[in-house]
Amino acid sequence: MQVDHHDLAHEFPEFKDRIHELKTSDTHFHKQFERYDELTKEVERLEKQDEPVTDEHMEDLKKQRLALKDELYGMLKG
């Protein structure tokens, strides 16, 4: 199964420097970034290994990741 990679630098390449800056200077951004990364790895692992998981659980993980992505994007723009 083809798994798309959704790390934040890949999603927002134009903010690569800003991501690094905020990861080192903003504790809240760093915490949310780490949570986004954890969720991304979990979703990708489940997709790659084709593990049995309910659609609802996978959808919940993806919704959590999307909410974090939106929050992080807002911080990057700010």
Side-chain angles (χ1 to χ4, degrees):
M1 170 183 261
Q2 173 67 28
V3 177
D4 294 329
H5 195 59
H6 292 277
D7 68 277
L8 208 59
H10 182 262
E11 292 291 313
F12 304 120
E14 69 276 19
F15 289 115
K16 183 180 177 186
D17 292 338
R18 180 90 170 125
I19 290 168
H20 178 72
E21 174 189 329
L22 287 173
K23 277 176 42 181
T24 59
S25 67
D26 186 312
T27 306
H28 180 68
F29 181 90
H30 182 80
K31 179 181 172 188
Q32 297 303 79
F33 177 89
E34 291 295 321
R35 180 67 183 134
Y36 176 85
D37 193 47
E38 290 170 8
L39 284 168
T40 296
K41 287 178 181 174
E42 179 67 8
V43 168
E44 290 175 358
R45 183 186 67 78
L46 291 170
E47 289 176 341
K48 186 182 236 181
Q49 295 179 1
D50 203 25
E51 286 191 26
V53 61
T54 63
D55 289 342
E56 292 82 14
H57 180 67
M58 185 63 88
E59 185 176 324
D60 182 54
L61 291 174
K62 288 181 176 182
K63 283 180 179 179
Q64 288 178 49
R65 182 175 67 180
L66 183 60
L68 282 169
K69 182 179 172 181
D70 288 345
E71 179 182 353
L72 290 165
Y73 180 70
M75 295 170 80
L76 289 168
K77 286 188 353 178

